[in-house]
Amino acid sequence: MASIITSVVTATVTAKPTTTSAALRAASQGGILEGSNPSKYDSKNPLILFIIQAGIIIIFCRILHFPLSKLRQPRVIAEIIGGILLGPSVFGRVPGFTDAIFPTASMPTLTLAANLGLVLFLFLVGLEVDLRLLLSNWRVALSVGAAGMALPFGLGCGIAYGLYHQFRGDPTLVPIGFGTYMLFVGVAMAITAFPVLCRILTELKLLQTQVGVVVLSAGVGNDVVGWILLALCVALVNAGSGIVALYVLLTCVAYVLFLVYAVRSVFLYVLKRSGSIQDGPTQTVVALTILMTLASAFFTGIIGVHPIFGAFLVGLICPHDGGFAIKLTEKIEDLVSVFFLPLYFALSGLSTNIGLLDSGITWGYVFGVIAVAFVGKFVGGTIAARLCKLVWRESFTIGVLMSCKGLVELIVLNIGYQAKILSQRTFTIFVVMALVTTFATTPLTSALYPPWYQKKLSAWRRGEIDWDGNSLARHSTSSEQGDAVLEKYSGTDFRKILVYLRLDSLPSLFTFVALLGGDRTGNTHGKTHPQKAREAVDQSSNASTMDALSRRKKPLEVHGLRMLELSERQSSVMKESEVDDYNIRDPVVNAFHTFGQLSNVAVSGEVQVVPEGAYAEILKGSASEHDSDMVLLPWSETGRLSESGNTLLLDPAQNTFTSAPHNQFVATFLAHAPCNTAIFVNKCFGQAKKPKVLHRVATALSLRSTTGPPTAPIMDRSHHIFFPFFGGPDDRVALRFVLRLAQNPNVTATIVNVKSVSDTTETPESPIISRAPDPVSPVSPSFAKEVTIQASPVVPEPSSDQENAFFATIRDSLPRDLESRVLFLTINTEQPLHDTLERARTEMESLTQNAGNIVVVGRGARTAGRRGIRRELETLRAAGGASMGVERNLGAVAEGIISGDIEASVLIVQAGGRGLEG
């Protein structure tokens, strides 16, 4: 007995430390180093598998979107298809894939993150809806929106009867009445995807057309009514009885009134006190807005309506004044659209099983649902638009656009699937319908309403052509005829100029355009005190006569076009949809308007939000629309086409001529320019000379000075122009443009006729023209009007006779008031580029204290006589004197000037269109 007791005690004492050690041992932290599988779901640490799932979904959707974006399809298409491929339809058939990557136990975590993103996204959707657009176009919005919802809703109710009785036996469905089911299907058929619609209209440049205004106005009303009906449907499903559903709806109505009249007033007060409307939301305001969104979603969720409705309502009450909605969207959108939304729509795809469409009757309903969804929207929108006096083709386009379903449809379907109104089979049928209708919207719209038809329709409405495209002659008045004769006679007039506005080029652009405006002091007279005005009546008769004469001359008209990049962000679409307000707020356009008021220039400006690839097309269209004589295109001083990002952090020593997007933009526009074009490469024109950049080595004791010496005013406000004339249409336009600039009394010019000669025949030196020098103006160099310099005793090329005759005609017809400030030279040389560079360098080095100098050259891309210049340029490149490689865009002479380290800006001119190359 004693031995038994002893053995038991011994065993107990021996086993107890082992059991205690195993129970108290910490969980393994070695991860894969201890052989654990990271794809195995652990409820205590779900983050690892969630990262794997999110990474796969985001990467897969991005890869799919790349080819689809070439077809101008919205990103939601790639996200839905990606979810379908990752779900049971494709990858789910791979043995072990779903259990390893998307196990059932891990789906609640993925669903939670996706639904949080959905709440934030519906807040952004409400933020994008501008109710001012609905109120300003309420008649057309009411008619098109009502017809665009009533007909598909009615057809949806009809097909709901067949769907309800055919598939009500599918598993997982809750027992609901046909009325609730019919209401849900009708809403699913009648809904329009407002965010996707905005994106499509923006990319097709239809947002500011009559079609775009009608569709957006109707889409806003459609969106709001659709969500209300869906809230009703969800309330009916969640409520246990009809009286409970009534209470839910009454509570929703009271909550909406509370948000509009109480919360919104307090919110606006906070925004005004914090300055968030004028300066953008502060971090505190962003936090307050997110809390309001979550609180509203919480309330609508606990009363029996889906949480997304509360988030949508908070977005609706946010103000659009001062661009607040756009700036707030910029703070939130990237995380939502890049991370959260792909998760949600991939979940929709994971719930979609194409394999369930396994019978003829099922596929019949697939085609039937697609037909009902498209035909109902198309016919309803088309008839309503036609009754609003739009032409048939516009009406068809509106019908197609209203049929777009997109991501809003997917949200509706997911709500129905989660509420067990739809089975997985019917859910798949509706997902296929949403994909087909969304995919077809862009190509059908492009085919029905192409750009050429938009231009024809616009001209027809202005009365310029008849319906068949024949021009309608307009009788001009005698004064208009006289002005046309004067402009034709004065070949140096450039009356309408289009300027591409860039933030980095504003100072030089303002100075350059001011030169075209002429002398502002010429039309300025001393002001008289109002009480002494009567005494000065007799003395002002001469001034009144001069004013009457000056009014006979039309002022220079300059239209500024600023282009902002249309990115994938929702905020850029909002900028385009609110472009009228954005034109008022844009600081660059406002500065341009102020500049016009202070100069002798009639200025207008606009902002357009377009994709970078369409910059050249938009610039060309604006030049044609404004009947411009010349387009002034500044070369990017940052080396980039886009103005996004912090330009202050760019390296000032970088080569600005190596940017592929900017070079492509310039090349594309020059190839299709509808008029004359001038490319301006700035080098401190009208600005203080930039100090040399010092490269500092920071240490722990280094301190950077925040102050510097003040910039001294420019005492000499004159400008000097050097222009080498080689011949050709570009040089002829450039010559006339130089003379236009020289009309400003602060401008002097040297115009050199460069004659490339043969080195085989020698002749006596050409005589210098014996013309007495003209009086020298205070701001001009001491130049005679025309001098011939013989660089070598050789003969000019005989093919240049016509160019020499043109040059002589311009020289001999020079007005007397320009003779003291314009010098004509003729150079006969075997090395035209070398001698031109030396002459330009010599002149510019002697004029470094003025307000900036310009070397004007013709692009000369179409002039065969410049082969010798290109050979010289190749020699300079080989010697290291020219290495920027800008000849393709700017020409050989311009590359030599830019690479030659000449202290002057460069203006490259290309003749085009109906230009003034005469």
Side-chain angles (χ1 to χ4, degrees), residues 72 82 210 287 293 303 325 351 450 461 568 584 596 663 816:
R72 309 177 82 169
Q210 189 168 5
T293 302
I303 66 173
S351 302
R461 284 186 169 138
E568 297 177 346
I584 300 174
N663 279 287
R816 295 293 300 181

Side-chain angles (χ1 to χ4, degrees), residues 89-132:
S89 301
V90 182
F91 282 96
R93 298 180 179 273
V94 177
F97 177 83
T98 301
D99 294 335
I101 305 301
F102 298 104
T104 304
S106 70
M107 297 311 290
T109 304
L110 189 63
T111 303
L112 175 63
N115 284 326
L116 177 61
L118 181 64
V119 168
L120 295 177
F121 175 71
L122 260 293
F123 165 72
L124 293 179
V125 172
L127 202 60
E128 188 177 6
V129 174
D130 190 355
L131 294 178
R132 296 175 300 178

Side-chain angles (χ1 to χ4, degrees), residues 50 53-55 57-58 61 79 109-111 113-115 336-350:
F50 175 77
Q53 294 170 338
I57 291 172
I58 294 173
C61 292
E79 292 167 349
T109 304
L110 189 63
T111 303
N115 284 326
V336 174
S337 61
V338 172
F339 181 73
F340 285 115
L341 271 189
L343 301 184
Y344 184 81
F345 293 117
L347 276 178
S348 302
L350 291 173

